[in-house]
Amino acid sequence: MPRTALLALSLLAAAAASAATPPKGRTPQQILDASQPSDWRALDPRNTIYLELEHGRAVIELAPQFAPEHVANIRALAHNGYWNGLSVNRSQDNYVVQWGDPEEDAAKRKPLGPGAKDKLPAEFARKSAGLKMTVLPDDDGWAKQAGFVDGFPAARDSATGSSWLAHCYGTVGAGRDMAADSSNGSELYVVIGQSPRHLDRNITTVGRVVQGMELLSVLPRGTGALGFYEKPSERAPIVSIALAADLPEAQRAKLEVLRTDTPLFAELVEARRNRRDDWYLQPAGHINLCNMPLPVREKKG
């Protein structure tokens, strides 16, 4: 065979191999490094609370678009200093950490204070109308569709026209008793384990921890039923829980979270869905809602 023919075949083979290999694309870090200020949003101090523990601060973003009455009550409770001096009372391995008033006798529990309601309606889900969701490309398993609404991991069902927050790592919810409407937002928990999505639409979710999860996830596990601490000395004291809007600006965390409704976020999803960093040999071709981390950074400027 002539050399020119061999060269042509080699070029064709190289071209075919190149076409079969998807372009490497930017890594997640490269995508974030190339982000613009418009790709980020600052936390709203009216929807941000600070959980101050003896060993640091956890920053929680509230989601009034999903649980307006619970968020209003949480704002009132924080404004009243309700949680100040209470404690983290439960740490269940691979599940949740929970805080509030450890007193079991209802008559002896700490008063909620002015503006806070003793009883709230269940807010397990809401109508999808009015919510803009960035839908992930892969099946969820727990819902017809899953994605992000204003940075919160969420799911929706087009058949019922309803949407809800998903129980991912860092999701904050309001504990309740047997009755669906038995929560008043004073007993809060955060997911510290593998996403317990079976809780979705069975309990009111109110937000997510955006910074400081390591302070909560490393707490010693409780040895009582459901991970409750059996001795008062085991509980982690709460110094305070404050609404950011109630604090002087100098005391507020200067944080920004990545917007989830931009082309840059879509590129980031694909980069994590099919990792092509040098270390990866086999792209997954799939991403789970709770495995898509939401970047947070100190506000620039």
Side-chain angles (χ1 to χ4, degrees), residues 16-301:
S18 176
T21 304
K24 187 172 183 179
R26 298 191 291 185
T27 67
Q29 188 58 53
Q30 289 171 334
I31 293 169
L32 291 176
D33 289 343
S35 67
Q36 299 300 310
S38 59
D39 291 310
W40 300 83
R41 63 175 177 84
L43 294 179
D44 183 347
R46 297 168 300 174
N47 292 320
T48 306
I49 59 174
Y50 301 140
L51 167 58
E52 303 282 359
L53 300 171
E54 291 181 338
H55 52 297
R57 169 189 280 184
V59 180
I60 298 171
E61 183 179 22
L62 301 173
Q65 60 272 62
F66 283 92
E69 296 211 36
H70 277 75
V71 168
N73 232 41
I74 290 169
R75 289 194 193 109
L77 292 169
H79 184 72
N80 295 338
Y82 169 78
W83 286 286
N84 301 0
L86 295 181
S87 55
V88 176
N89 307 312
R90 176 188 180 193
S91 177
Q92 186 172 0
D93 191 47
N94 198 31
Y95 206 48
V96 301
V97 159
Q98 185 172 328
W99 61 91
D101 191 341
E103 178 58 59
E104 295 183 9
D105 186 343
K108 297 180 181 179
R109 293 176 71 86
K110 188 174 182 178
L112 301 182
K117 299 178 181 178
D118 289 320
K119 190 177 180 62
L120 298 174
E123 296 180 294
F124 300 163
R126 57 152 288 172
K127 292 182 179 179
S128 298
L131 287 180
K132 182 180 179 181
M133 177 182 284
T134 301
V135 180
L136 294 182
D138 300 308
D139 293 338
D140 178 61
W142 297 97
K144 299 294 185 183
Q145 288 183 318
F148 292 87
V149 175
D150 301 327
F152 293 94
R156 71 183 179 192
D157 186 344
S158 57
T160 61
S162 62
S163 296
W164 57 92
L165 291 183
H167 276 79
C168 295
Y169 183 77
T171 292
V172 176
R176 70 171 176 88
D177 292 325
M178 291 298 292
D181 60 351
S182 55
S183 166
N184 58 23
S186 65
E187 290 286 329
L188 298 178
Y189 66 87
V190 60
V191 175
I192 63 165
Q194 173 61 27
S195 318
R197 296 286 302 280
H198 59 281
L199 296 177
D200 291 1
R201 291 179 290 177
N202 285 291
I203 199 164
T204 298
T205 39
V206 300
R208 66 186 180 103
V209 174
V210 297
Q211 188 181 67
M213 269 301 296
E214 69 279 4
L215 305 174
L216 298 160
S217 62
V218 300
L219 289 174
R221 302 306 187 240
T223 56
L226 302 177
F228 279 93
Y229 295 123
E230 298 184 271
K231 300 176 182 178
S233 60
E234 296 175 321
R235 300 168 186 154
I238 293 175
V239 176
S240 67
I241 293 183
L243 186 68
D246 288 342
L247 298 179
E249 189 168 349
Q251 296 179 24
R252 301 176 189 173
K254 306 298 189 293
L255 297 179
E256 294 180 320
V257 295
L258 191 71
R259 288 175 51 191
T260 54
D261 59 346
T262 65
L264 183 124
F265 181 72
E267 183 184 0
L268 184 62
V269 169
E270 181 55 29
R272 290 194 173 277
R273 182 171 177 263
N274 282 298
R275 295 297 294 261
R276 296 192 177 92
D277 312 41
D278 292 337
W279 184 88
Y280 286 87
L281 302 177
Q282 180 61 53
H286 184 95
I287 193 160
N288 181 287
L289 173 64
C290 293
N291 285 339
M292 182 62 210
L294 270 293
V296 181
R297 72 178 187 182
E298 294 289 333
K299 187 176 181 180
K300 297 183 177 181

